[in-house]
Amino acid sequence: MCGIFGCILKNGDASPIIHAALKRLEYRGYDSVGEATIHENKLFIKKDQGKIDDVHIQHDLDDLPGRVGVGHTRWATHGAPSQTNAHPHVDCAGQIAVVHNGIIENFGELRRELEELGHVFRSKTDSEVIPHLIEEKLKDGLTMLEAVREAVSRLEGSYAIAVISVKEPDKVFCARRDSPLVVGVAENATYCASDIPAFLPLTNRAVIIENGELVVLNDNGYEIRKVTDSTPVSRKPEIISWAPNMAEKQGYPHFMLKEIHEQPLCLRNTLRLQDPYLELMTTFLDRAGEVFLVACGTSYHACLAASYMFSKLAFLATHPIIASEFIEQHGRAVNIDSTILVVSQSGETADTLAAIEHARLRAATIMGLTNVIGSTLTRIARVYVCQQSGPEIGVAATKTFTSQLCVLAQLALRLAKKRGKVSHVEIEHLEEKLEQIPEVAEKIIQSQEEKIKQLAKKYKDAQCFFFLGRGVSSATAFEGRLKLLEIAYVPSLAYPAGESKHGPISLVEKGLPVIFICPKDDTHKTVIGNIMEMKARGASIIVITEEGDEEIKSLADDYIEIVKGVPEVLSPILYAIPLQLFAYYMAIERGLDPDMPRNLAKSVTVM
Ligand code: AGP
């Protein structure tokens, strides 16, 4: 789950463009970086271990000559982060440079075969087999296009690659299978990248490259061909509605804080989604024999919350499943009567795509909820909704989580209406409350941010946290926990509050901070009991609760208040926001970079 980029310019040097584009792709991986350009038939390469800014200080990534080039920012899968394992990788003669995102499953066998032919490998990566394979094909007198095509036909696994060579110095060759690849078309340049934000400030005209396609960027633009038989494919660019500065921080210190503050706007957009797709999805849910809600990480927490919404509003039982366990847990049971609602902000998460590919082969109905137009999920799903949150750059999902919940709540409400399980009065009340969510989100951020900052200062040295909630708030608790451990590296546990006394409570000792998510709903009484259990063992009680809920506040050491009257089923959308801010300020207090947490990357495109 690296970031690749390539470009051919009419004029000027490519390296400053590549450097800036890699910065916009850094959320995809940041343990090493590299660039290669061609000038006067010579290959120029700079690469090293570390974050882009650090490597730039060392090597000046803007100072490579030539108008044609490629670049890479890495998330290591094969071979530890090092200068040697950093991309681009080259062939024996140093005439072909390749950047790769994905995993070559048969690289061991290919490497042995190439070593027997005399090729010398420099790195421990799977990706290095690609330039050597191309080199071998060129020896047979093939053109670069044919050599790249034949080379990728030998690869098993996932790849998106960009290749340059002194053999044909005014071209960039790219190809994809399973890893994302898009082409950006501008007046005086053509770009290829793992993700649209890479070239968004340069052009909003993008061509989505499909699986099994190869693209050549040249001075006339781009040409697409099928990898299987090289037949030409014609495809016009789509206009991307994202504003160029959406991929920038706009004055915020970090993308994560910017994206938390963008939630009111995103939620407004999510309330204006296209009706026909929501209606079609509602019909499929209504007719479904069984419904699986499949996702990973934060998106899975949205599915967990949705399972309460669908049950409480539409009397529909659904199965929220962690995607990487779907095939093992339900693979045999899935059939033509199964409906899979897949949630993935990137639309590219490998575990999620593998789960739906399995279900698709068993004739299940696939529906998708994603944030990225043109993502692989949108190509597999029978119907999908794009949640309109705009690009999310911070590795920790924030605005995409609350937008996912907002879409899922709309689906549950539509299904409730269709099934007539809930009174019109209640439906109208919930619809009214849903319409107010963006303003309420605004109020929470404005009124509570400073308080949350102080809370992070108070608890910055805590060694462990508990997150507890009942009912739909247990999903909010899981999400709060994930945010804190992924960006502030604080070991944390989350449980449905009723479960804590079946084991986890043994960890509770004086001063252990326990965060309770407790909106005023049917679980209010029992949550008070759970708070008392923790208090009795000396825990420090922090509550996210409804404004003026004196009963709960009187039991707490610290509290964050949420505006009165938020309906239970909608509460995760709003109660998650203080937890996002808390995790952010804890990371800041602990001197960490919230945008680029260690060992993580934004889109997990490997299994
Ligand atoms: C959340 O902050 C993480 N970035 C991660 O858990 C993420 O939610 C997960 O990888 C799923 O990503 P997706 O929504 O793009 O499929």
Side-chain angles (χ1 to χ4, degrees):
M1 67 206 152
C2 310
I4 72 168
F5 183 80
C7 64
I8 175 163
L9 314 182
K10 288 253 167 49
N11 317 300
D13 282 341
S15 54
I17 306 278
I18 298 170
H19 175 198
L22 291 178
K23 274 300 290 176
R24 291 189 288 270
L25 284 173
E26 200 167 18
Y27 58 91
R28 300 181 62 85
Y30 30 84
D31 58 38
S32 52
V33 61
E35 296 176 9
T37 59
I38 296 179
H39 184 58
E40 291 168 357
N41 275 355
K42 229 170 125 285
L43 207 53
F44 295 81
I45 293 187
K46 287 188 179 178
K47 63 178 187 174
D48 205 341
Q49 181 189 357
K51 292 191 176 157
I52 297 177
D53 292 350
D54 306 334
V55 174
H56 179 53
I57 293 164
Q58 285 256 327
H59 301 276
D60 188 355
L61 295 171
D62 294 338
D63 179 28
L64 290 87
R67 63 191 187 84
V68 175
V70 293
H72 186 272
T73 181
R74 185 174 187 233
W75 192 91
T77 55
H78 293 69
S82 69
Q83 184 169 41
T84 319
N85 291 335
H87 297 217
H89 290 290
V90 296
D91 62 321
C92 299
Q95 299 190 324
I96 302 164
V98 173
V99 292
H100 165 236
N101 168 31
I103 288 188
I104 309 298
E105 285 154 13
N106 62 337
F107 84 99
E109 168 208 327
L110 291 171
R111 183 171 175 134
R112 281 188 295 283
E113 186 189 310
L114 289 159
E115 281 171 337
E116 272 149 30
L117 292 167
H119 288 264
V120 179
F121 281 73
R122 300 174 183 83
S123 79
K124 297 258 179 310
T125 67
D126 54 332
S127 313
E128 193 187 347
V129 292
I130 304 169
H132 292 284
L133 268 174
I134 297 170
E135 178 181 30
E136 198 53 35
K137 299 295 174 193
L138 287 173
K139 284 185 192 151
D140 308 342
L142 298 185
T143 64
M144 268 298 289
L145 172 66
E146 283 310 302
V148 172
R149 196 172 71 79
E150 295 225 353
V152 295
S153 310
R154 296 285 320 275
L155 305 180
E156 286 162 25
S158 60
Y159 63 80
I161 62 169
V163 183
I164 56 173
S165 166
V166 295
K167 302 260 186 221
E168 295 181 36
D170 50 2
K171 295 187 181 105
V172 180
F173 302 85
C174 330
R176 79 157 287 198
R177 185 201 297 142
D178 292 349
S179 296
L181 184 67
V182 282
V183 164
V185 183
E187 202 58 37
N188 298 316
T190 312
Y191 313 100
C192 64
S194 295
D195 211 345
I196 291 167
F199 52 67
L200 194 57
L202 306 163
T203 177
N204 66 348
R205 299 173 62 220
V207 185
I208 312 297
I209 306 305
E210 305 255 10
N211 263 350
E213 289 182 345
L214 194 155
V215 197
V216 182
L217 311 186
N218 52 37
D219 285 328
N220 310 321
Y222 64 94
E223 58 179 271
I224 307 175
R225 290 174 179 274
K226 286 223 164 302
V227 168
T228 42
D229 56 12
S230 208
T231 46
V233 175
S234 104
R235 189 171 306 128
K236 294 226 167 330
E238 299 175 37
I239 303 300
I240 302 298
S241 60
W242 292 342
N245 68 358
M246 273 185 164
E248 278 137 26
K249 286 187 193 140
Q250 295 169 5
Y252 285 90
H254 297 99
F255 281 108
M256 184 178 178
L257 189 62
K258 173 198 164 211
E259 287 153 5
I260 290 174
H261 281 253
E262 276 179 345
Q263 293 185 99
L265 171 65
C266 299
L267 289 164
R268 273 188 209 97
N269 294 344
T270 307
L271 288 169
R272 294 195 202 104
L273 294 180
Q274 293 168 339
D275 194 71
Y277 300 111
L278 288 171
E279 212 36 47
L280 188 53
M281 271 197 177
T282 307
T283 306
F284 277 125
L285 287 169
D286 189 33
R287 289 199 202 132
E290 64 196 340
V291 178
F292 295 95
L293 309 175
V294 176
C296 298
T298 289
S299 297
Y300 167 72
H301 296 147
C303 290
L304 192 56
S307 68
Y308 290 83
M309 297 172 181
F310 285 124
S311 158
K312 287 193 175 255
L313 296 179
F315 296 46
L316 173 71
T318 57
H319 311 285
I321 311 285
I322 291 175
S324 53
E325 282 305 314
F326 178 74
I327 296 172
E328 284 305 312
Q329 198 172 0
H330 296 284
R332 291 260 171 98
V334 174
N335 58 53
I336 194 158
D337 299 326
S338 311
T339 294
I340 320 288
L341 175 48
V342 180
V343 178
S344 171
Q345 86 83 21
S346 62
E348 299 292 354
T349 300
D351 288 327
T352 306
L353 296 180
I356 47 182
E357 184 56 18
H358 177 93
R360 191 181 65 78
L361 294 173
R362 299 175 75 87
T365 301
I366 313 286
M367 308 197 296
L369 168 53
T370 185
N371 187 41
V372 179
I373 288 275
S375 60
T376 305
L377 173 53
T378 62
R379 309 206 161 259
I380 298 176
R382 183 144 170 206
V383 56
Y384 69 88
V385 161
C386 199
Q387 61 190 66
Q388 308 297 348
S389 308
E392 185 172 65
I393 310 291
V395 169
T398 53
K399 62 178 183 176
T400 54
F401 176 61
T402 50
S403 293
Q404 285 165 347
L405 291 168
C406 194
V407 176
L408 295 163
Q410 290 177 67
L411 283 174
L413 267 174
R414 281 167 182 265
L415 195 55
K417 218 187 249 178
K418 200 179 194 59
R419 290 182 160 197
K421 296 284 185 184
V422 173
S423 71
H424 283 299
V425 177
E426 191 178 350
I427 295 239
E428 273 147 29
H429 169 70
L430 287 168
E431 284 173 342
E432 208 182 295
K433 287 290 181 184
L434 197 54
E435 281 302 319
Q436 294 163 5
I437 289 267
E439 281 72 39
V440 177
E442 195 115 55
K443 278 204 195 101
I444 293 168
I445 295 169
Q446 279 160 5
S447 63
Q448 302 297 314
E449 182 167 11
E450 195 44 45
K451 192 168 183 191
I452 294 165
K453 221 188 251 182
Q454 298 317 315
L455 212 55
K457 275 189 198 322
K458 177 176 177 184
Y459 289 99
K460 69 177 171 32
D461 301 321
Q463 298 309 304
C464 177
F465 273 80
F466 268 34
F467 289 80
L468 301 177
R470 274 184 176 264
V472 72
S473 296
S474 61
T476 316
F478 282 113
E479 179 55 12
R481 183 271 302 263
L482 177 59
K483 291 283 100 62
L484 189 66
L485 63 83
E486 77 173 309
I487 65 162
Y489 316 152
V490 184
S492 304
L493 301 176
Y495 284 93
E499 184 62 10
S500 54
K501 55 186 172 296
H502 299 286
I505 198 165
S506 65
L507 279 181
V508 178
E509 54 193 18
K510 186 156 181 34
L512 176 89
V514 178
I515 299 183
F516 277 91
I517 293 95
C518 32
K520 210 158 200 173
D521 60 20
D522 304 351
T523 68
H524 197 255
K525 282 250 155 316
T526 37
V527 164
I528 288 175
N530 297 129
I531 294 176
M532 302 304 278
E533 283 159 15
M534 292 293 168
K535 235 174 134 49
R537 289 159 181 79
S540 300
I541 306 296
I542 304 160
V543 298
I544 317 282
T545 189
E546 186 173 275
E547 221 167 54
D549 186 337
E550 299 314 322
E551 193 177 5
I552 291 261
K553 282 161 60 178
S554 64
L555 298 170
D557 299 281
D558 295 286
Y559 58 81
I560 299 295
E561 291 178 281
I562 303 287
V563 172
K564 251 186 187 347
V566 176
E568 174 196 349
V569 285
L570 303 181
S571 64
I573 306 174
L574 297 169
Y575 281 66
I577 298 174
L579 299 171
Q580 298 164 348
L581 284 166
F582 182 64
Y584 173 80
Y585 284 113
M586 281 288 283
I588 298 299
E589 286 298 329
R590 295 160 76 96
L592 303 167
D593 179 346
D595 280 350
M596 291 194 269
R598 69 186 180 205
N599 304 339
L600 287 178
K602 183 69 186 164
S603 169
V604 186
T605 51
V606 291
M607 290 186 46

